[in-house]
Amino acid sequence: MKLGSLKEGGRDGSLIVVSRDLAKAVRATGIAPTLQRALEDWTNIAPRLNALSEALNAGNAEGAFDLEIGDLAAPMPRAYEFVDGSAYLPHVERVRRARGAEVPESFYTDPLMYQAVSAGFYGPRDAVKVVSEDYGIDLEAEVVIVTDDVPMAVTPEQAAAHIQLVGLVNDVSLRNLIPPELAKGFGFVQSKPRSALSPVFVTPDELGDAWQGNKLHRAMLTHINGQWFGAPEAGVDMQFDFAQLVAHAAKTRPLSAGTIVGSGTVANEDTSLGASCFAEQRTVETLRDGKPSTPFMKFGDTVRIEMLDADGKSIFGAIEQKIERAG
């Protein structure tokens, strides 16, 4: 099934079930008022939502309406936790090689991960607000999963059963603020503003053969200002699958229902497939030409992030955003 949230009912939106073709929706607030509430009682709530989904896709759901993507908030307008990994080591290797640094051996056995902003997410059509272009505005097209309650110290095999939803994120980064923050040795704060989530999240079974080995095996398609930017394969070159990422996050603490776990920027060894962020593109240019030639994003630029199924139909709907000056 596919789930989303309308921009109504408060800060957490109002839960809806969305048809497979993203054309119709029906309010699910009689089952659970919000997606967060549904995840907190997933075992009992999911079968009822699935029954409503089946009725909607069969054309039998009472109260069904035409879906307007602009009416959607993020599926989870806020979450208790958002932990973001960096599971695509081709990206890590290239970035470090461009500055003459080796990749530590531990990176191949222990995932990189940080605690990201979860207090609020942009909806799929909301503008990205930034104070200054000098900050180095960048996108990061990533896959995310959402968990139910995850016990502390789960194994990857156990963690797989706690992956309940899959979606996309534009993990906005302010690249020129990152180096001075990391130099302090205490992680990201100012350089990582709010991110945007795809119009809907879907259950893994909705993905069919595209969901294998706790990875999503489809291309991450990104356009900038209407021009193709990249389509790397999300299921290729992913060093750590989502079960491993969940287990890593839960090593010393339980994860609350509704925790979002990100894959990191999707990147492949094959650079002909393009990039999922400007930092990646600029790194490829630096390694090839000695310096980057692609600038970061400017006010008025647009980004579109999407993933298509084997029939060329949108799975999650597209994140479509304009970069705007804050205030």
Side-chain angles (χ1 to χ4, degrees):
M1 58 186 166
K2 299 189 176 186
L3 303 174
S5 296
L6 292 172
K7 289 182 175 180
E8 60 181 47
R11 292 191 180 192
D12 295 308
S14 294
L15 180 61
I16 57 172
V17 173
V18 178
S19 61
R20 288 192 175 91
D21 62 5
L22 306 176
K24 296 282 187 179
V26 61
R27 285 174 172 80
T29 48
I31 299 173
T34 66
L35 184 51
Q36 176 63 41
R37 287 284 296 277
L39 287 158
E40 289 169 357
D41 190 22
W42 191 249
T43 300
N44 294 317
I45 296 296
R48 298 171 63 190
L49 291 174
N50 193 59
L52 183 57
S53 176
E54 291 179 357
L56 176 64
N57 285 297
N60 300 322
E62 184 177 348
F65 58 90
D66 293 337
L67 181 65
E68 295 290 339
I69 301 297
D71 294 336
L72 294 178
M76 298 187 70
R78 56 180 176 171
Y80 286 110
E81 285 198 77
F82 174 25
V83 289
D84 198 14
S86 189
Y88 293 90
L89 287 191
H91 171 73
V92 178
E93 290 167 345
R94 275 194 288 267
V95 169
R96 293 182 73 88
R97 191 163 72 248
R99 65 173 190 257
E102 296 292 327
V103 178
E105 284 299 320
S106 64
F107 282 27
Y108 297 94
T109 58
D110 193 36
L112 291 168
M113 185 172 285
Y114 74 96
Q115 193 88 33
V117 175
S118 63
F121 292 93
Y122 289 122
R125 295 294 183 273
D126 294 343
V128 176
K129 301 285 190 177
V130 182
V131 171
S132 172
E133 292 177 346
D134 293 338
Y135 290 169
I137 308 165
D138 200 356
L139 73 136
E140 289 190 53
E142 305 181 17
V143 180
V144 294
I145 61 89
V146 187
T147 73
D148 57 11
D149 285 307
V150 181
M152 181 169 58
V154 292
T155 65
E157 292 73 23
Q158 294 167 332
H162 294 283
I163 297 172
Q164 304 301 352
L165 297 169
V166 184
L168 306 180
V169 65
N170 176 14
D171 177 35
V172 181
S173 292
L174 304 177
R175 296 295 182 184
N176 293 339
L177 300 185
I178 289 178
E181 280 206 306
L182 293 186
K184 296 177 180 179
F186 220 50
F188 304 111
V189 178
Q190 295 174 342
S191 54
K192 285 290 187 177
R194 289 188 172 187
S195 299
L197 298 174
S198 52
V200 301
F201 285 164
V202 310
T203 48
D205 60 356
E206 187 74 26
L207 298 167
D209 292 341
W211 183 256
Q212 295 183 38
N214 301 305
K215 300 178 183 180
L216 181 50
H217 295 265
R218 300 301 303 168
M220 180 70 80
L221 183 60
T222 301
H223 287 82
I224 304 296
N225 297 326
Q227 299 298 310
W228 184 92
F229 187 74
E233 294 288 339
V236 176
D237 299 320
M238 189 179 185
Q239 180 76 10
F240 304 100
D241 65 39
F242 277 108
Q244 292 171 301
L245 293 176
V246 171
H248 178 83
K251 181 176 180 177
T252 60
R253 59 184 176 182
L255 304 179
S256 297
T259 292
I260 298 174
V261 181
S263 66
T265 308
V266 177
N268 292 159
E269 290 283 1
D270 183 359
T271 58
S272 71
L273 297 176
S276 296
C277 70
F278 279 86
E280 171 81 7
Q281 177 65 25
R282 287 165 59 89
T283 296
V284 171
E285 292 166 351
T286 298
L287 293 170
R288 184 188 64 212
D289 307 324
K291 63 180 181 179
S293 54
T294 301
F296 289 118
M297 301 187 78
K298 304 294 185 183
F299 296 136
D301 285 349
T302 59
V303 56
R304 179 184 174 97
I305 298 169
E306 192 170 23
M307 191 170 278
L308 307 180
D309 65 16
D311 297 321
K313 297 177 181 177
S314 186
I315 299 173
F316 307 99
I319 300 171
E320 292 188 59
Q321 297 183 280
K322 179 180 284 189
I323 310 300
E324 294 184 357
R325 187 188 300 273

